[in-house]
Amino acid sequence: MMGSIYERATGVLVWLGEDLNSDAKRAFELIEINDYHGDGYKTDEESVWYEWPSPPSSDESFLDPSRWKHLQALSQLPWFTRVWVLQEVGVAQTAVAYWGQSSLKFGHIVECFSLISHNPCFGHLITTYGNFFNDIVDPWEAICCTYDNKRTWRNECPHLRFYVNHPERQFLIVLWVGTRFTASVPHDYIYAHLGHPSARRADGEEFIKVDYSKSLGNLYLDVAERLIAQAQGILIPSAVYNTGNNNTTEPSWVPRWHQASEIGMIARMPGDDRCYNASLSESTEPKTSLTTGPEGGTRLLTRGIIFDMVKLSSVALDRDNTRCKD
């Protein structure tokens, strides 16, 4: 319901909060400067990666790291940590951000962080201020930018426009990225994403019905079973993060989406041909199914190939060698 309300609205106004340290004006000015330098960035219909133009000369104030502390302050505002805002802005036709007395089109904020994060020529900023660019970019590109509404603020941004025609995203990845956010109740780590197109079933039925009276363990098990039905089962163990202190009744292979974790992909994403496939055959693709264990409960069965020996390995890539030289 909430997704329909925000999608039908003429525009969405985003209140980021009070500008307590006078960062807003400087941060928004820097974003607008970045938009100017980003006009030369080019992409194509098949890839979001860019043909990077020459970066601004080193003597320009644009590259002064001290100016970027205002963008860091922007990225640390509590608004960016709330799980429900991804849908509220993701389905909006237009969105304007207000921070104290300053305002800016929301798409320009995401565009700026995205361009800086992807361009290796700005690695010194990440070195100075940490990886706060990716803290914004990763979740907003993975979820907010992959709603399939065609009337969207993303059309206003050359870089983000790519996602309007390429909104594909696996629901398991949406759920995993969503673990970085905060929710008032753990159930919302599922329910806040049900408006995302990846949550739609092929038969048109709801992925799962909203029911806050359902126990968290049963909810997570139901979600895992539906992901397996969508052929995403082999990816489920990638999102499992068990601390050993979980007083839960669901099986150990069921992800607990209220626990933030780093995902370690143990299989290729369906349809992703960028990863090397050593099998050279679809017949050896891992398959998953569910069965009942001898003592009750649900077990996850999967098939794969075990490598007992690694004879040759490549040299690890040195990140410093992949960056633009000063």
Side-chain angles (χ1 to χ4, degrees), residues 288-300:
T288 55
S289 60
L290 297 176
T291 185
T292 301
E295 299 179 358
T298 306
R299 286 185 172 183
L300 177 69

Side-chain angles (χ1 to χ4, degrees), residues 83 170-183 185-191 193 207 216-217 219-225 227 232 235-242 246 248 250 253-261 263:
V83 69
Q170 294 289 328
F171 190 50
L172 185 144
I173 299 300
V174 170
L175 293 175
W176 167 67
V177 175
T179 63
R180 306 185 191 186
F181 292 78
T182 60
V185 293
H187 294 67
D188 283 341
Y189 284 103
I190 304 296
Y191 298 152
H193 304 301
F207 180 85
L216 198 59
L219 173 61
Y220 287 167
L221 179 58
D222 288 348
V223 169
E225 291 177 347
L227 289 173
Q232 300 181 54
L235 296 174
I236 286 180
S238 301
V240 172
Y241 179 71
N242 291 331
N246 299 300
T248 56
E250 71 271 18
W253 55 267
V254 174
R256 298 165 175 85
W257 299 108
H258 63 286
Q259 296 177 337
S261 66
I263 196 167

Side-chain angles (χ1 to χ4, degrees), residues 45 145 147 150 155 160-168:
E45 290 299 317
C145 289
Y147 281 88
K150 298 300 182 182
N155 284 318
L160 301 182
R161 193 179 299 130
F162 171 86
Y163 294 99
V164 177
N165 298 318
H166 301 79
E168 300 86 0

Side-chain angles (χ1 to χ4, degrees), residues 18-305:
E18 296 291 348
D19 181 20
L20 301 179
N21 297 311
S22 301
D23 289 305
K25 185 175 184 294
R26 294 178 177 87
F28 289 172
E29 286 177 348
L30 194 58
I31 289 174
E32 291 174 341
I33 294 175
N34 182 70
D35 286 344
Y36 169 77
H37 287 294
D39 287 343
Y41 294 11
K42 299 177 181 179
T43 187
D44 54 45
E45 290 299 317
E46 301 300 327
S47 174
V48 73
W49 298 107
Y50 273 67
E51 174 186 339
W52 300 107
S54 300
S57 60
S58 58
D59 60 345
E60 290 194 50
S61 60
F62 174 75
L63 291 177
D64 180 1
S66 65
R67 299 189 62 183
W68 294 82
K69 64 182 181 180
H70 306 295
L71 276 190
Q72 185 180 35
L74 170 64
S75 72
Q76 294 173 345
L77 293 174
W79 185 89
F80 286 101
T81 68
R82 299 167 186 160
V83 69
W84 276 103
V85 303
L86 292 163
Q87 175 182 252
E88 295 167 0
V89 175
V91 300
Q93 298 180 36
T94 63
V96 178
Y98 289 85
W99 187 10
Q101 299 298 315
S102 301
S103 63
L104 186 69
K105 289 183 178 180
F106 186 82
H108 291 185
I109 298 176
V110 181
E111 177 98 331
C112 172
F113 278 82
S114 184
L115 293 176
I116 296 300
S117 176
H118 289 315
N119 191 341
C121 295
F122 292 97
H124 66 288
L125 296 174
I126 296 178
T127 301
T128 303
Y129 289 107
N131 210 20
F132 72 90
F133 296 104
N134 288 339
D135 292 341
I136 293 290
V137 170
D138 289 347
W140 287 89
E141 284 188 347
I143 302 179
C144 185
C145 289
T146 55
Y147 281 88
D148 58 356
N149 51 316
K150 298 300 182 182
R151 298 180 62 185
T152 168
W153 48 269
R154 296 184 291 279
N155 284 318
E156 304 169 353
C157 308
H159 175 69
L160 301 182
R161 193 179 299 130
F162 171 86
Y163 294 99
V164 177
N165 298 318
H166 301 79
E168 300 86 0
R169 186 66 61 182
Q170 294 289 328
F171 190 50
L172 185 144
I173 299 300
V174 170
L175 293 175
W176 167 67
V177 175
T179 63
R180 306 185 191 186
F181 292 78
T182 60
S184 56
V185 293
H187 294 67
D188 283 341
Y189 284 103
I190 304 296
Y191 298 152
H193 304 301
L194 293 183
H196 194 274
S198 63
R200 298 172 191 155
R201 288 172 35 173
D203 57 8
E205 294 295 321
E206 297 177 358
F207 180 85
I208 199 166
K209 293 186 179 299
V210 176
D211 181 4
Y212 283 95
S213 65
K214 179 181 291 187
S215 71
L216 198 59
N218 287 336
L219 173 61
Y220 287 167
L221 179 58
D222 288 348
V223 169
E225 291 177 347
R226 283 162 175 75
L227 289 173
I228 290 174
Q230 289 185 345
Q232 300 181 54
I234 188 58
L235 296 174
I236 286 180
S238 301
V240 172
Y241 179 71
N242 291 331
T243 62
N245 298 316
N246 299 300
N247 297 319
T248 56
T249 58
E250 71 271 18
S252 60
W253 55 267
V254 174
R256 298 165 175 85
W257 299 108
H258 63 286
Q259 296 177 337
S261 66
E262 291 295 328
I263 196 167
M265 301 304 296
I266 64 172
R268 292 188 307 158
M269 291 291 294
D272 187 355
D273 296 326
R274 293 174 299 173
C275 299
Y276 177 63
N277 181 9
S279 70
L280 296 178
S281 172
E282 289 297 320
S283 64
T284 56
E285 285 290 327
K287 307 295 182 183
T288 55
S289 60
L290 297 176
T291 185
T292 301
E295 299 179 358
T298 306
R299 286 185 172 183
L300 177 69
L301 300 181
T302 186
R303 183 185 71 181
I305 300 176

